[in-house]
Amino acid sequence: MVIVALLRYYVTKIMYAPDNQVLQPANMSFRALKKTIFEKLADFTKEDPGEINVLQLLESVKSDVKDNNALARSTRIRKGCEYLPEDAVKVRKSYFCKENDGYFNKKVGGVNPMAMMNPDMMSNMMKQNVQGMFNIFLFSVVGSFFSGFIIAQVPFPLGQKFKGLLQQGLNLQALDPSYVSSMSWCFLLIFGLQGVLNLILGDSDGMDDMSQMMPNPSQMMGQGGMDQKNYQALFKSEKENYEILSYKFRLEDAEDAFLAKYQKKIQ
Amino acid sequence: MDKDIKNHQQHLKNLIERSKKSFAYYLIEEAFYAALDIKQLDWANAFLRIITSKFTQSVKSMRMLGMLYEALQDHEKAKEIYQELILLNPNDTQSVKRLVALERDRNHLSDAITLLNKYLENNQQDMEAWLELTDMYLAKQNYAKASFCYEEVLSLQPNNFIVNLRYAEMLYSQGGADNLDSLYLARKYYSHALTMQDDKSNMLSRALWGLLQTCKQLDILMKNKEEKNTEIILTCQQKLKEIYSKSNNKIEINSMKLMN
């Protein structure tokens, strides 16, 4: 069982290996690499891009990266606002919430229906399916080879309710529930050995059996739109947060605190 | 020198073969940056070649090539490389940052500021970038904008002594006869910074001098005297005298203008 789990772990790990962006090949045009040590590596088929306007390029950054950062910043400002001067908070509030042209009032594109077609998303879904297949495969093998076997007996009496848990694959009404069938044993081991495996492998990245076997419903429904957050709603709630923000400057009495701390020591 | 590099390269290759993991490449990368720092460009070249032999034409090795050209003072070439990397992937934050540093190095401060502003529009959470922008505005003596950027850092670390101190200094620099508010705020932030420190700490004197200076300025500019202000001045002076009397190098601070 441990070996099977280890195998599973490595398969998962290989499948989910993050593709490191900085190690992706970069197709550089010949012009940029001319007279460098990489001259031969240049992509000769690529056209000379000519004058590159970086400012314009930065405009084209994906908006969800942008929106995520803006949201995070707004939360940070709201959290730390007590330590900022009032004007500073007001300026930022108006940047985010101003009528018409505030950041949170701009139009956000809806969820892209083509997201499912995105090859990234496709391969992700495929990987998830393979994961599920592995479990099913494991159970069917165990089921067909060991069906009908009783493998263990728990050393204490159990109620009838435990029959479903401990005697899967056995249809014997009269059997005492303290006997454990092979199928159930397999089940129990998959969950029970997780802690041991964590100790062996040192990390628990690929081992989230629980979440694999019992995918929560929201994940099942929105796998396509999973990382597509609804920014419109998030923006709206963030704006409301600003409305109810009660600003109180923490440093109002800072001088008194300073005097209290340093003055009495001298006298 | 050439022979040295060959030997070293051989040595490194042996090292790589011995350590099966990619950990050694990480070391070579570090060595590459170190070589750039001390301007040993032959070495840097050798290191870069080792890395490219494994990761041919990766984004990172291209960026490292750009850094090599930066070190060679060939700014145009480096700029071309970075620009093309950004063209390939506008989300490449590291390359944008390198480009900003490059522009700053060439003394094109305004270009660097425009670029970094654009970058910050997309990455509003990047503290490093906010700090850099603060630094550049300070270099241009644009204290209002510098303090705006520094507020971002302050909101993240409101209980950091140094951050509070620097923010107070920026506020003080903005203050004047027509901007008394900012002097008041500076006084608050200086006091706040000082309250956070233990009073035996050896970092106090900079903040104390700043606070003293601010209060003196307020004293001159205010129409009706405030009692609290004079109290702060006295406390600062006493504390400073105490600190300086303990120090080994005897500096006569009693005769200084601020002390009277």
Side-chain angles (χ1 to χ4, degrees), chain A residues 258 262, chain B residues 161-162 164-166 168-169 172 186-198 201-215 232 235-237 239-240 243-244 258:
Chain A
F258 164 73
Y262 289 91
Chain B
F161 171 69
I162 306 280
N164 273 287
L165 178 57
R166 281 197 70 192
E169 279 163 1
Y172 168 72
R187 194 174 74 180
K188 283 199 199 318
Y189 278 96
Y190 273 127
S191 316
H192 182 56
L194 279 164
T195 344
M196 276 183 289
Q197 281 287 312
D198 184 50
S201 138
N202 49 7
M203 289 155 81
L204 292 177
S205 41
R206 176 171 167 178
L208 281 171
W209 280 117
L211 183 55
L212 185 54
Q213 187 93 349
T214 315
C215 290
I232 296 173
T235 318
C236 279
Q237 284 171 341
K239 188 76 196 165
L240 275 172
I243 290 171
Y244 276 77
L258 265 178

Short mmCIF file of all heavy atoms in Angstrom, two decimals, chain A residues 258 262, chain B residues 161-162 164-166 168-169 172 186-198 201-215 232 235-237 239-240 243-244 258:
data_model
loop_
_atom_site.label_atom_id
_atom_site.label_comp_id
_atom_site.label_asym_id
_atom_site.label_seq_id
_atom_site.Cartn_x
_atom_site.Cartn_y
_atom_site.Cartn_z
N PHE A 258 5.26 60.57 23.53
CA PHE A 258 6.72 60.80 23.52
C PHE A 258 7.15 61.49 24.80
O PHE A 258 8.10 61.07 25.46
CB PHE A 258 7.07 61.66 22.30
CG PHE A 258 8.43 62.28 22.37
CD1 PHE A 258 9.57 61.51 22.20
CD2 PHE A 258 8.57 63.64 22.63
CE1 PHE A 258 10.81 62.08 22.28
CE2 PHE A 258 9.82 64.20 22.70
CZ PHE A 258 10.94 63.43 22.52
N TYR A 262 9.75 60.05 27.65
CA TYR A 262 11.12 60.55 27.81
C TYR A 262 11.25 61.60 28.91
O TYR A 262 12.31 61.78 29.47
CB TYR A 262 11.64 61.11 26.49
CG TYR A 262 11.91 60.01 25.49
CD1 TYR A 262 10.94 59.58 24.61
CD2 TYR A 262 13.15 59.38 25.47
CE1 TYR A 262 11.18 58.56 23.73
CE2 TYR A 262 13.41 58.35 24.60
CZ TYR A 262 12.41 57.95 23.72
OH TYR A 262 12.66 56.93 22.84
N PHE B 161 10.39 51.39 12.99
CA PHE B 161 11.02 52.65 13.41
C PHE B 161 11.61 53.41 12.23
O PHE B 161 11.33 54.60 12.03
CB PHE B 161 12.12 52.31 14.43
CG PHE B 161 12.99 53.48 14.79
CD1 PHE B 161 12.48 54.53 15.54
CD2 PHE B 161 14.31 53.53 14.40
CE1 PHE B 161 13.27 55.60 15.89
CE2 PHE B 161 15.11 54.61 14.74
CZ PHE B 161 14.59 55.64 15.48
N ILE B 162 12.39 52.72 11.41
CA ILE B 162 13.09 53.39 10.32
C ILE B 162 12.08 53.99 9.33
O ILE B 162 12.26 55.11 8.86
CB ILE B 162 14.00 52.39 9.57
CG1 ILE B 162 14.94 51.68 10.53
CG2 ILE B 162 14.77 53.08 8.47
CD1 ILE B 162 16.13 52.46 10.94
N ASN B 164 9.00 54.97 9.83
CA ASN B 164 8.37 56.16 10.41
C ASN B 164 9.33 57.34 10.40
O ASN B 164 8.93 58.47 10.09
CB ASN B 164 7.94 55.87 11.85
CG ASN B 164 6.56 55.28 11.89
OD1 ASN B 164 5.58 55.98 11.67
ND2 ASN B 164 6.48 53.99 12.15
N LEU B 165 10.58 57.05 10.72
CA LEU B 165 11.58 58.12 10.77
C LEU B 165 11.77 58.76 9.40
O LEU B 165 11.75 59.98 9.25
CB LEU B 165 12.90 57.53 11.28
CG LEU B 165 14.10 58.46 11.37
CD1 LEU B 165 13.76 59.62 12.26
CD2 LEU B 165 15.28 57.70 11.92
N ARG B 166 11.91 57.92 8.40
CA ARG B 166 12.15 58.45 7.05
C ARG B 166 10.93 59.22 6.55
O ARG B 166 11.07 60.25 5.88
CB ARG B 166 12.47 57.32 6.07
CG ARG B 166 13.90 56.85 6.18
CD ARG B 166 14.29 56.05 4.97
NE ARG B 166 14.41 56.89 3.77
CZ ARG B 166 14.51 56.41 2.55
NH1 ARG B 166 14.50 55.13 2.36
NH2 ARG B 166 14.61 57.22 1.53
N ALA B 168 8.85 60.84 8.41
CA ALA B 168 8.85 62.12 9.12
C ALA B 168 9.83 63.08 8.46
O ALA B 168 9.55 64.28 8.30
CB ALA B 168 9.23 61.89 10.58
N GLU B 169 10.98 62.55 8.06
CA GLU B 169 11.98 63.42 7.43
C GLU B 169 11.45 63.99 6.12
O GLU B 169 11.69 65.15 5.79
CB GLU B 169 13.28 62.64 7.19
CG GLU B 169 14.11 62.56 8.45
CD GLU B 169 15.16 61.48 8.39
OE1 GLU B 169 15.28 60.79 7.35
OE2 GLU B 169 15.87 61.33 9.39
N TYR B 172 9.05 66.69 6.97
CA TYR B 172 9.77 67.88 7.43
C TYR B 172 10.32 68.66 6.24
O TYR B 172 10.25 69.89 6.19
CB TYR B 172 10.90 67.47 8.37
CG TYR B 172 11.86 68.59 8.65
CD1 TYR B 172 11.48 69.66 9.46
CD2 TYR B 172 13.13 68.60 8.09
CE1 TYR B 172 12.35 70.70 9.71
CE2 TYR B 172 14.00 69.65 8.32
CZ TYR B 172 13.59 70.70 9.13
OH TYR B 172 14.45 71.74 9.35
N ALA B 186 5.01 65.90 10.72
CA ALA B 186 6.37 65.42 10.90
C ALA B 186 6.64 65.24 12.39
O ALA B 186 7.23 64.24 12.81
CB ALA B 186 7.35 66.40 10.29
N ARG B 187 6.17 66.22 13.19
CA ARG B 187 6.39 66.12 14.63
C ARG B 187 5.73 64.87 15.19
O ARG B 187 6.30 64.15 16.00
CB ARG B 187 5.81 67.37 15.30
CG ARG B 187 6.27 67.55 16.72
CD ARG B 187 5.79 68.84 17.28
NE ARG B 187 4.35 68.79 17.58
CZ ARG B 187 3.68 69.82 18.10
NH1 ARG B 187 4.29 70.97 18.32
NH2 ARG B 187 2.39 69.72 18.35
N LYS B 188 4.51 64.61 14.69
CA LYS B 188 3.80 63.42 15.16
C LYS B 188 4.57 62.15 14.81
O LYS B 188 4.72 61.24 15.62
CB LYS B 188 2.41 63.36 14.54
CG LYS B 188 1.42 64.31 15.17
CD LYS B 188 0.02 63.87 14.84
CE LYS B 188 -1.00 64.98 15.03
NZ LYS B 188 -0.80 65.78 16.25
N TYR B 189 5.03 62.07 13.55
CA TYR B 189 5.69 60.83 13.14
C TYR B 189 7.04 60.65 13.83
O TYR B 189 7.41 59.52 14.17
CB TYR B 189 5.82 60.77 11.61
CG TYR B 189 4.54 60.30 10.97
CD1 TYR B 189 3.61 61.20 10.49
CD2 TYR B 189 4.24 58.95 10.92
CE1 TYR B 189 2.43 60.77 9.94
CE2 TYR B 189 3.06 58.51 10.38
CZ TYR B 189 2.15 59.43 9.88
OH TYR B 189 0.98 58.99 9.36
N TYR B 190 7.75 61.76 14.05
CA TYR B 190 9.00 61.64 14.82
C TYR B 190 8.71 61.11 16.21
O TYR B 190 9.37 60.19 16.70
CB TYR B 190 9.68 63.01 14.94
CG TYR B 190 10.59 63.38 13.81
CD1 TYR B 190 10.44 64.58 13.12
CD2 TYR B 190 11.64 62.53 13.44
CE1 TYR B 190 11.28 64.93 12.09
CE2 TYR B 190 12.49 62.88 12.41
CZ TYR B 190 12.30 64.07 11.73
OH TYR B 190 13.14 64.41 10.71
N SER B 191 7.68 61.69 16.85
CA SER B 191 7.35 61.26 18.20
C SER B 191 6.94 59.80 18.21
O SER B 191 7.36 59.03 19.09
CB SER B 191 6.21 62.09 18.77
OG SER B 191 6.38 63.43 18.49
N HIS B 192 6.14 59.44 17.20
CA HIS B 192 5.69 58.05 17.11
C HIS B 192 6.87 57.11 16.99
O HIS B 192 6.95 56.09 17.68
CB HIS B 192 4.75 57.90 15.92
CG HIS B 192 4.18 56.53 15.76
ND1 HIS B 192 3.49 55.90 16.76
CD2 HIS B 192 4.21 55.67 14.73
CE1 HIS B 192 3.12 54.71 16.35
NE2 HIS B 192 3.55 54.54 15.13
N ALA B 193 7.81 57.48 16.13
CA ALA B 193 8.99 56.64 15.93
C ALA B 193 9.76 56.51 17.24
O ALA B 193 10.18 55.41 17.62
CB ALA B 193 9.87 57.23 14.84
N LEU B 194 9.91 57.63 17.93
CA LEU B 194 10.70 57.60 19.17
C LEU B 194 10.00 56.80 20.26
O LEU B 194 10.65 56.12 21.05
CB LEU B 194 10.94 59.03 19.65
CG LEU B 194 12.08 59.73 18.93
CD1 LEU B 194 12.02 61.22 19.14
CD2 LEU B 194 13.41 59.19 19.41
N THR B 195 8.67 56.87 20.29
CA THR B 195 7.95 56.10 21.31
C THR B 195 8.14 54.61 21.12
O THR B 195 8.08 53.85 22.08
CB THR B 195 6.43 56.40 21.27
OG1 THR B 195 6.22 57.57 20.53
CG2 THR B 195 5.88 56.53 22.64
N MET B 196 8.32 54.22 19.86
CA MET B 196 8.45 52.78 19.62
C MET B 196 9.80 52.24 20.06
O MET B 196 9.96 51.05 20.26
CB MET B 196 8.27 52.51 18.14
CG MET B 196 6.84 52.38 17.74
SD MET B 196 6.73 51.98 16.03
CE MET B 196 7.23 53.48 15.29
N GLN B 197 10.79 53.13 20.18
CA GLN B 197 12.12 52.65 20.51
C GLN B 197 12.31 52.56 22.02
O GLN B 197 11.73 53.33 22.79
CB GLN B 197 13.17 53.61 19.93
CG GLN B 197 13.41 53.42 18.46
CD GLN B 197 14.18 52.16 18.18
OE1 GLN B 197 15.19 51.90 18.79
NE2 GLN B 197 13.70 51.38 17.23
N ASP B 198 13.14 51.63 22.39
CA ASP B 198 13.56 51.54 23.77
C ASP B 198 14.46 52.74 24.05
O ASP B 198 15.24 53.14 23.20
CB ASP B 198 14.34 50.23 23.93
CG ASP B 198 14.73 50.02 25.35
OD1 ASP B 198 13.84 50.12 26.20
OD2 ASP B 198 15.91 49.77 25.61
N SER B 201 18.14 52.52 23.40
CA SER B 201 18.58 52.14 22.06
C SER B 201 19.57 53.17 21.51
O SER B 201 19.52 54.34 21.87
CB SER B 201 17.35 52.04 21.16
OG SER B 201 17.63 52.60 19.92
N ASN B 202 20.46 52.71 20.64
CA ASN B 202 21.46 53.64 20.13
C ASN B 202 21.05 54.22 18.78
O ASN B 202 21.86 54.72 18.04
CB ASN B 202 22.82 52.94 20.02
CG ASN B 202 22.69 51.63 19.32
OD1 ASN B 202 21.62 51.31 18.80
ND2 ASN B 202 23.75 50.86 19.29
N MET B 203 19.75 54.11 18.47
CA MET B 203 19.32 54.66 17.19
C MET B 203 18.54 55.95 17.38
O MET B 203 17.91 56.45 16.45
CB MET B 203 18.44 53.64 16.46
CG MET B 203 19.21 52.46 15.96
SD MET B 203 18.13 51.06 15.80
CE MET B 203 17.38 51.41 14.23
N LEU B 204 18.56 56.47 18.59
CA LEU B 204 17.64 57.58 18.87
C LEU B 204 18.09 58.91 18.29
O LEU B 204 17.25 59.73 17.92
CB LEU B 204 17.50 57.74 20.39
CG LEU B 204 16.79 56.62 21.12
CD1 LEU B 204 16.79 56.90 22.60
CD2 LEU B 204 15.37 56.51 20.62
N SER B 205 19.40 59.12 18.23
CA SER B 205 19.84 60.50 18.03
C SER B 205 19.36 61.11 16.71
O SER B 205 19.00 62.28 16.68
CB SER B 205 21.35 60.60 18.16
OG SER B 205 21.97 59.54 17.53
N ARG B 206 19.32 60.30 15.66
CA ARG B 206 18.85 60.86 14.38
C ARG B 206 17.43 61.38 14.50
O ARG B 206 17.12 62.49 14.07
CB ARG B 206 18.92 59.78 13.30
CG ARG B 206 18.38 60.23 11.97
CD ARG B 206 18.70 59.21 10.92
NE ARG B 206 17.94 59.46 9.70
CZ ARG B 206 18.06 58.73 8.61
NH1 ARG B 206 18.90 57.71 8.58
NH2 ARG B 206 17.35 59.01 7.54
N ALA B 207 16.58 60.59 15.14
CA ALA B 207 15.20 61.00 15.29
C ALA B 207 15.09 62.20 16.23
O ALA B 207 14.29 63.12 16.00
CB ALA B 207 14.37 59.84 15.82
N LEU B 208 15.91 62.21 17.27
CA LEU B 208 15.86 63.33 18.22
C LEU B 208 16.27 64.63 17.55
O LEU B 208 15.63 65.66 17.72
CB LEU B 208 16.77 63.04 19.41
CG LEU B 208 16.19 62.08 20.46
CD1 LEU B 208 17.25 61.69 21.46
CD2 LEU B 208 15.01 62.71 21.16
N TRP B 209 17.34 64.57 16.77
CA TRP B 209 17.77 65.77 16.05
C TRP B 209 16.67 66.25 15.12
O TRP B 209 16.38 67.44 15.04
CB TRP B 209 19.04 65.51 15.24
CG TRP B 209 20.31 65.55 16.01
CD1 TRP B 209 21.18 64.52 16.19
CD2 TRP B 209 20.89 66.67 16.72
NE1 TRP B 209 22.24 64.90 16.96
CE2 TRP B 209 22.09 66.22 17.30
CE3 TRP B 209 20.48 67.99 16.92
CZ2 TRP B 209 22.90 67.03 18.06
CZ3 TRP B 209 21.30 68.81 17.69
CH2 TRP B 209 22.49 68.34 18.25
N GLY B 210 16.04 65.31 14.44
CA GLY B 210 14.98 65.67 13.51
C GLY B 210 13.81 66.33 14.22
O GLY B 210 13.29 67.36 13.79
N LEU B 211 13.44 65.73 15.34
CA LEU B 211 12.31 66.26 16.11
C LEU B 211 12.64 67.66 16.62
O LEU B 211 11.82 68.59 16.55
CB LEU B 211 12.00 65.32 17.27
CG LEU B 211 10.80 65.67 18.14
CD1 LEU B 211 9.56 65.82 17.31
CD2 LEU B 211 10.58 64.60 19.18
N LEU B 212 13.87 67.82 17.10
CA LEU B 212 14.30 69.11 17.62
C LEU B 212 14.23 70.16 16.52
O LEU B 212 13.69 71.26 16.71
CB LEU B 212 15.74 68.97 18.14
CG LEU B 212 16.37 70.17 18.82
CD1 LEU B 212 15.49 70.64 19.96
CD2 LEU B 212 17.73 69.79 19.36
N GLN B 213 14.74 69.81 15.38
CA GLN B 213 14.75 70.72 14.23
C GLN B 213 13.32 71.12 13.85
O GLN B 213 13.03 72.30 13.63
CB GLN B 213 15.41 69.99 13.05
CG GLN B 213 15.65 70.84 11.85
CD GLN B 213 17.04 71.44 11.89
OE1 GLN B 213 17.71 71.37 12.91
NE2 GLN B 213 17.45 72.05 10.80
N THR B 214 12.44 70.12 13.80
CA THR B 214 11.05 70.38 13.43
C THR B 214 10.39 71.34 14.41
O THR B 214 9.71 72.30 14.02
CB THR B 214 10.25 69.07 13.40
OG1 THR B 214 11.02 68.08 12.73
CG2 THR B 214 8.94 69.23 12.69
N CYS B 215 10.61 71.07 15.68
CA CYS B 215 9.96 71.90 16.70
C CYS B 215 10.50 73.32 16.68
O CYS B 215 9.75 74.28 16.85
CB CYS B 215 10.14 71.29 18.07
SG CYS B 215 9.22 69.77 18.26
N ILE B 232 8.66 69.78 24.25
CA ILE B 232 9.33 68.79 23.41
C ILE B 232 10.77 69.21 23.14
O ILE B 232 11.70 68.40 23.22
CB ILE B 232 8.57 68.58 22.09
CG1 ILE B 232 7.20 68.00 22.36
CG2 ILE B 232 9.33 67.63 21.17
CD1 ILE B 232 6.34 67.91 21.15
N THR B 235 12.85 68.52 26.19
CA THR B 235 13.08 67.10 26.38
C THR B 235 14.12 66.58 25.40
O THR B 235 15.03 65.82 25.77
CB THR B 235 11.77 66.31 26.18
OG1 THR B 235 10.73 67.02 26.80
CG2 THR B 235 11.88 64.93 26.73
N CYS B 236 13.97 67.00 24.14
CA CYS B 236 14.92 66.55 23.11
C CYS B 236 16.33 66.98 23.48
O CYS B 236 17.27 66.18 23.40
CB CYS B 236 14.57 67.16 21.76
SG CYS B 236 13.27 66.31 20.93
N GLN B 237 16.46 68.24 23.88
CA GLN B 237 17.80 68.74 24.19
C GLN B 237 18.42 67.95 25.34
O GLN B 237 19.59 67.53 25.28
CB GLN B 237 17.72 70.23 24.54
CG GLN B 237 17.54 71.09 23.31
CD GLN B 237 17.24 72.53 23.64
OE1 GLN B 237 16.80 72.84 24.75
NE2 GLN B 237 17.45 73.41 22.68
N LYS B 239 17.70 64.93 26.34
CA LYS B 239 17.99 63.55 25.95
C LYS B 239 19.25 63.51 25.09
O LYS B 239 20.10 62.61 25.25
CB LYS B 239 16.79 63.00 25.18
CG LYS B 239 16.87 61.53 24.87
CD LYS B 239 16.58 60.68 26.09
CE LYS B 239 17.06 59.26 25.83
NZ LYS B 239 17.14 58.45 27.04
N LEU B 240 19.37 64.48 24.20
CA LEU B 240 20.55 64.49 23.32
C LEU B 240 21.82 64.69 24.14
O LEU B 240 22.82 64.02 23.92
CB LEU B 240 20.41 65.61 22.28
CG LEU B 240 19.63 65.25 21.04
CD1 LEU B 240 19.39 66.47 20.18
CD2 LEU B 240 20.37 64.19 20.23
N ILE B 243 22.72 61.51 25.75
CA ILE B 243 23.30 60.53 24.83
C ILE B 243 24.74 60.89 24.50
O ILE B 243 25.63 60.04 24.54
CB ILE B 243 22.47 60.44 23.53
CG1 ILE B 243 21.12 59.79 23.82
CG2 ILE B 243 23.20 59.64 22.48
CD1 ILE B 243 20.16 59.87 22.66
N TYR B 244 24.96 62.19 24.23
CA TYR B 244 26.31 62.58 23.80
C TYR B 244 27.30 62.51 24.95
O TYR B 244 28.49 62.28 24.72
CB TYR B 244 26.27 63.98 23.18
CG TYR B 244 25.88 63.94 21.73
CD1 TYR B 244 24.58 63.77 21.35
CD2 TYR B 244 26.85 64.05 20.74
CE1 TYR B 244 24.21 63.70 20.02
CE2 TYR B 244 26.50 63.99 19.40
CZ TYR B 244 25.17 63.81 19.05
OH TYR B 244 24.82 63.75 17.74
N LEU B 258 21.31 74.91 17.61
CA LEU B 258 20.03 74.27 17.86
C LEU B 258 19.77 74.09 19.35
O LEU B 258 18.63 73.99 19.79
CB LEU B 258 20.01 72.90 17.19
CG LEU B 258 19.39 72.80 15.82
CD1 LEU B 258 19.51 71.39 15.34
CD2 LEU B 258 17.95 73.22 15.87
#
